[in-house]
Amino acid sequence: FHPNQDRDPPAVCFTTAAIMFWKFDLNNTSHIDQLLDREGVTLRELMEEEDVLQECKAQNRKLLLFLSKDHCMQELVTLITEEPPADLEEKTRFKFPNIACELLTSDVALINDKLGGDESLLEKLYHFLEQEPPLNPLLASFFSKTIGNLIARKTDQVISFLRKKHNFISLVLNHIDASAMMDLLLRLISCVEPALLRMEVLNWLNEERLIQRLTELMHTGRDEERQSNASQTLCDIIRLSRDQANQLSEVTEPDPLLTVLESQENVSELLKNMFEGERTEASVVNGTQVLLTLLESRRSGLEGLMDLYSQGFERSYTVNSSILRAIEPHLKDFQQLLLNPPTRSAILTTVGVLEQPLGSARLHVARLVASLLQTCDLSICQEICRLNTMDLLLDLFFKYTWNNFLHLQVELCVASILNHSAHSDHQNPGLQNHEERPLFQHCRLVQRILDAWEENDKIQAEGGRRRGNMGHLTRIANTVVQNLEKGLAHSQINDLIKELPEDCRGRWEGFVGETLRETNRRNTVDLVSTHNLHSSSEDDDMESPFPNDLSIQQAFSDYQIQQMTANFVDQFGFNDEEFSEHDENINAAFDRIAEINFNIDANAAAFEACCKERIQQFDDCEEEEDIWDEKEINYATQIKSRSRYNPGWTASFSETEVSSSSAWGGSPQQEGEGPQDTNWASFTEFQPFSR
């Protein structure tokens, strides 16, 4: 054959491949297979092999038959349920238990069938729960993962086995201080299929009084770790039950666990446990987290955020009235927490020592009040007004000027009062003008805004730093102005403004017409520049897309949300298909190829230049070259950046001549132009980030 042919003849390629195959011994038999061929091989010897798990998942038949032997399965279960010897080195002490867990949960049918179908193995697993607490957290995680896998794969056998154990729920709750037990309960609720079997499991758990027993663990006298895990379990059950109720349309029977959770009796018991005896921060926080989850009526995460901004505060949402009726008598207890929170020691912050921190308890009370006001329930709102809760929250807002978590909750409270009052005419006539009057009169909202603003201006004029609550204060002021000008309750708010003392009313009008307007204008200047950077199709002299009375935070939130559409999740990050089983999704990536538009007519010349520049001919060398010889690496080739800011910017790592054309539309560097030292990147063509 001719030495300049583009390709080797098939015979030569085959010969070369055969030489490489035998030369480098690419047909090595697995060392595990060699061990299994040896008489008397032990499980520990196989587990020492690095590829044992890989071979197991690859369905190595010989290995699976060995692992599924009775003595091997017994040893694997023993490894994940019994403490390894204490005299072993710590870094290797749990090596074999970890490998054993991975083998048992490798989702191989032969192992699943053996483990789920052998009651003696299930008994050995179950015996782990019968130990006295505390459990070893690592072994608890191995146990939970193994049982959880069986619940999903061998559902009928495992559920039948567990239901025969009358003390199963008691043992799990006895070890609830281990987070792995919480995961096990959630697997029982979420991983059982089909729907009818799942409903049987839920009824069984309800008969075992799971929710009531978790609620009892929220008592102030309980261990904080147990309280925290019990609270998290209840919150997860609420969300899981609501999500599955929305997804499983064929099930008409209500979820018994959710029914108990939302009942007035259970919520009252939860509140009793929170406030009975000494009030600790842990019991208040953990209990309030459950209440907040019960008050959720929109989806969490990105979808919930989109719902919030698309609906705003113009629609009150429905919460089970039994929850509200149980909370209402205890609003005075939450009010007392704002006045006398659990004692906390002073903490050092970036702005100095805080002698009396706000604390998680009071922050959670603020979150609860914000959620309750958003329900627009007449009785609840009246009680909050009677207790002057908003006055206390505003006191905290101006006292803790650097706690933005608190500032957000107070802002939500003010917005809820103003916006919900706006539509009270046709939804709750008795609520009309009942909330905003105390807000403007007793709480002195307008005066507080003016005083805080003037005090901050004075501090900054003396060289001090801007207070940390000024952004939220701007948003609150804008909310008042917006409802005053165009809100449905603008007439009521106008009347309240007119009732202000004359000097205060004059200060307010000057503040709105000058100070606030200028603040909003200044805040939106940089934002519009950012908006223009992302919207290159807009004109340079476009007007601000945001209302004049919006602060930068409100405007930026609106800008971000307007980019989100109903299919945002489908367009962002990973697709659900990428997390599917490989064998179920083998063609997914190739199916998308048909959707790609390969229209290159407009760039044919650039495409041809790229091909000539990048593709090299595979000419044969007269001498055979050893492909494994070490060679000097040459970084002469230019690296081209595909930066969206400047596609033509290049970095050169050696003195090489720049190509005369660029497939990516960059301008070629002409001879004599640019920096001569080509060992450094050239930034002369780098474009700024603004227009």
Side-chain angles (χ1 to χ4, degrees):
F1 62 92
H2 195 277
N4 291 327
Q5 280 183 322
D6 288 347
R7 296 183 179 179
D8 290 337
V12 176
C13 293
F14 177 82
T15 304
T16 304
I19 293 173
M20 291 178 62
F21 184 89
W22 294 111
K23 179 178 179 181
F24 299 107
D25 195 17
L26 300 180
N27 192 32
N28 275 341
T29 304
S30 168
H31 192 235
I32 287 181
D33 288 337
Q34 296 177 2
L35 284 175
L36 291 170
D37 290 336
R38 198 183 72 194
E39 188 175 351
V41 64
T42 65
L43 177 63
R44 293 294 181 103
E45 288 179 293
L46 288 173
M47 294 174 71
E48 287 282 6
E49 295 298 316
E50 292 183 356
D51 58 344
V52 62
L53 183 59
Q54 179 182 345
E55 290 288 322
C56 179
K57 292 183 176 181
Q59 306 282 335
N60 185 320
R61 186 68 180 173
K62 192 183 297 184
L63 175 62
L64 294 180
L65 290 174
F66 181 85
L67 293 176
S68 60
K69 292 181 179 180
D70 289 343
H71 73 278
C72 288
M73 293 297 295
Q74 289 284 343
E75 187 174 352
L76 289 172
V77 173
T78 299
L79 283 169
I80 67 170
T81 56
E82 294 183 6
E83 286 270 359
D87 57 349
L88 293 178
E89 190 178 356
E90 191 62 30
K91 66 178 182 180
T92 60
R93 188 167 175 236
F94 289 95
K95 173 186 175 181
F96 288 116
N98 180 59
I99 297 174
C101 176
E102 293 299 319
L103 290 172
L104 291 173
T105 60
S106 57
D107 207 15
V108 174
L110 190 59
I111 294 178
N112 289 339
D113 293 342
K114 182 67 175 180
L115 188 57
D118 190 332
E119 191 153 331
S120 65
L121 293 174
L122 293 177
E123 288 285 354
K124 193 175 185 66
L125 271 173
Y126 186 80
H127 179 67
F128 178 76
L129 290 175
E130 297 174 335
Q131 303 178 54
E132 289 296 320
L135 296 174
N136 181 298
L138 199 53
L139 292 181
S141 68
F142 296 155
F143 167 82
S144 176
K145 184 177 181 180
T146 303
I147 289 289
N149 180 69
L150 290 177
I151 290 172
R153 300 304 182 191
K154 308 299 292 183
T155 308
D156 291 329
Q157 297 94 318
V158 175
I159 295 298
S160 176
F161 172 82
L162 294 177
R163 293 187 66 173
K164 295 176 185 176
K165 301 295 183 180
H166 300 296
N167 61 344
F168 171 66
I169 298 298
S170 299
L171 291 175
V172 171
L173 295 180
N174 192 40
H175 298 297
I176 198 66
D177 55 319
S179 59
M181 296 301 106
M182 175 178 66
D183 297 337
L184 177 58
L185 286 175
L186 297 177
R187 283 181 177 273
L188 274 173
I189 295 170
S190 62
C191 294
V192 175
E193 293 181 355
L196 290 178
L197 180 57
R198 176 179 176 272
M199 187 57 64
E200 289 183 18
V201 172
L202 295 179
N203 286 324
W204 164 53
L205 295 175
N206 190 43
E207 292 168 3
E208 293 288 331
R209 302 183 72 253
L210 173 63
I211 300 302
Q212 294 89 332
R213 292 160 81 172
L214 284 169
T215 303
E216 291 171 7
L217 292 174
M218 305 291 295
H219 195 277
T220 55
R222 297 284 186 173
D223 174 73
E224 290 188 8
E225 195 67 30
R226 291 175 178 273
Q227 283 187 35
S228 177
N229 285 348
S231 169
Q232 188 61 52
T233 304
L234 289 171
C235 293
D236 288 341
I237 291 175
I238 295 169
R239 295 189 178 106
L240 281 172
S241 299
R242 287 175 175 174
D243 287 346
Q244 293 192 340
N246 292 332
Q247 296 170 5
L248 304 177
S249 56
E250 70 274 12
V251 179
T252 57
E253 186 178 350
D255 188 316
L257 299 183
L258 185 59
T259 301
V260 173
L261 273 164
E262 294 181 336
S263 68
Q264 185 171 346
E265 179 185 2
N266 191 73
V267 177
S268 298
E269 186 65 25
L270 171 64
L271 288 159
K272 176 186 174 184
N273 291 335
M274 288 171 57
F275 293 112
E276 193 173 64
E278 182 182 359
R279 298 177 183 180
T280 63
E281 185 166 82
S283 63
V284 172
V285 170
N286 292 321
T288 306
Q289 285 178 341
V290 178
L291 296 176
L292 289 169
T293 307
L294 285 169
L295 292 173
E296 289 177 358
S297 68
R298 53 172 66 96
R299 293 167 292 181
S300 60
L302 177 62
E303 293 179 340
L305 183 67
M306 293 170 63
D307 290 344
L308 176 64
Y309 277 87
S310 63
Q311 297 165 3
F313 294 99
E314 298 179 359
R315 181 182 73 85
S316 62
Y317 56 81
T318 303
V319 173
N320 194 319
S321 61
S322 61
I323 301 171
L324 300 175
R325 301 290 72 82
I327 293 176
E328 186 176 345
H330 290 274
L331 285 175
K332 61 182 184 299
D333 296 315
F334 288 106
Q335 174 89 350
Q336 194 61 31
L337 281 171
L338 293 176
L339 292 169
N340 299 304
T343 305
R344 290 177 61 95
S345 57
I347 60 173
L348 179 63
T349 70
T350 55
V351 292
V353 176
L354 196 57
E355 295 294 341
Q356 187 183 13
L358 176 71
S360 295
R362 287 195 285 187
L363 178 59
H364 276 73
V365 173
R367 292 180 60 196
L368 180 64
V369 173
S371 294
L372 289 171
L373 285 173
Q374 290 176 35
T375 65
C376 203
D377 181 83
L378 172 61
S379 183
I380 288 287
C381 293
Q382 287 177 339
E383 182 66 9
I384 290 175
C385 290
R386 188 187 69 81
L387 293 170
N388 297 323
T389 304
M390 275 306 304
D391 194 35
L392 279 177
L393 289 176
L394 284 170
D395 287 342
L396 296 174
F397 179 94
F398 292 107
K399 178 180 179 180
Y400 296 97
T401 57
W402 298 101
N403 194 317
N404 287 161
F405 297 108
L406 171 67
H407 303 156
L408 174 61
Q409 300 307 318
V410 176
E411 181 197 339
L412 291 174
C413 290
V414 173
S416 294
I417 291 173
L418 295 178
N419 286 279
H420 283 163
S421 297
H423 62 273
S424 60
D425 292 332
H426 58 273
Q427 290 196 1
N428 263 328
L431 189 60
Q432 183 177 355
N433 211 30
H434 187 82
E435 290 180 278
E436 70 269 14
R437 182 170 293 277
L439 186 63
F440 284 93
Q441 293 183 344
H442 182 75
C443 298
R444 302 174 61 252
L445 177 63
V446 170
Q447 293 92 325
R448 287 181 187 239
I449 292 174
L450 294 173
D451 292 344
W453 204 285
E454 291 170 1
E455 187 175 353
N456 178 75
D457 287 345
K458 181 180 178 181
I459 291 173
Q460 287 191 277
E462 295 173 353
R465 67 174 67 184
R466 184 174 184 261
R467 285 183 168 178
N469 59 358
M470 292 305 294
H472 287 281
L473 191 63
T474 304
R475 290 167 61 109
I476 291 174
N478 281 321
T479 301
V480 174
V481 172
Q482 289 167 11
N483 283 274
L484 182 64
E485 293 178 348
K486 57 184 179 182
L488 295 177
H490 64 91
S491 59
Q492 297 98 310
I493 299 176
N494 261 309
D495 292 340
L496 293 171
I497 295 293
K498 291 177 182 178
E499 294 176 8
L500 295 173
E502 185 176 351
D503 63 329
C504 180
R505 191 167 63 252
R507 290 169 62 201
W508 172 254
E509 291 172 356
F511 169 76
V512 172
E514 298 177 9
T515 307
L516 185 60
R517 183 177 297 275
E518 173 60 22
T519 299
N520 289 328
R521 187 200 65 78
R522 186 175 62 250
N523 286 342
T524 55
V525 167
D526 292 337
L527 180 61
V528 173
S529 298
T530 304
H531 178 73
N532 290 340
L533 177 64
H534 289 83
S535 306
S536 58
S537 61
E538 298 291 339
D539 295 333
D540 291 340
D541 57 349
M542 63 178 290
E543 295 182 358
S544 170
F546 309 109
N548 291 332
D549 291 329
L550 283 177
S551 68
I552 185 170
Q553 295 184 12
Q554 181 66 52
F556 189 56
S557 297
D558 292 344
Y559 167 69
Q560 287 180 311
I561 295 302
Q562 75 179 3
Q563 304 300 314
M564 298 181 185
T565 58
N567 61 343
F568 178 83
V569 178
D570 298 330
Q571 300 172 350
F572 182 80
F574 297 97
N575 295 322
D576 291 339
E577 293 177 348
E578 297 183 44
F579 297 96
S580 304
E581 294 292 337
H582 180 72
D583 55 350
E584 297 174 357
N585 194 37
I586 190 68
N587 295 319
F590 298 97
D591 292 340
R592 301 194 194 104
I593 293 179
E595 304 173 6
I596 302 175
N597 183 5
F598 287 100
N599 182 14
I600 61 172
D601 292 340
N603 298 304
F607 179 75
E608 183 68 22
C610 178
C611 293
K612 292 180 178 179
E613 177 183 354
R614 298 302 179 191
I615 300 178
Q616 299 179 1
Q617 299 294 331
F618 293 93
D619 294 337
D620 295 319
C621 298
E622 295 185 3
E623 296 183 4
E624 183 178 355
E625 185 178 38
D626 191 340
I627 63 173
W628 303 107
D629 278 350
E630 294 186 0
K631 300 181 179 63
E632 181 182 357
I633 300 176
N634 182 10
Y635 294 99
T637 305
Q638 287 189 331
I639 299 175
K640 298 195 176 183
S641 170
R642 293 195 290 176
S643 170
R644 62 178 176 177
Y645 300 108
N646 186 2
W649 180 78
T650 60
S652 178
F653 294 93
S654 70
E655 298 182 1
T656 57
E657 183 179 355
V658 181
S659 172
S660 60
S661 63
S662 170
W664 307 108
S667 301
Q669 181 178 335
Q670 300 298 327
E671 185 177 357
E673 294 183 3
Q676 296 302 316
D677 186 0
T678 54
N679 290 321
W680 297 92
S682 173
F683 295 91
T684 56
E685 298 181 8
F686 193 84
Q687 300 297 322
F689 288 94
S690 60
R691 302 174 95 180

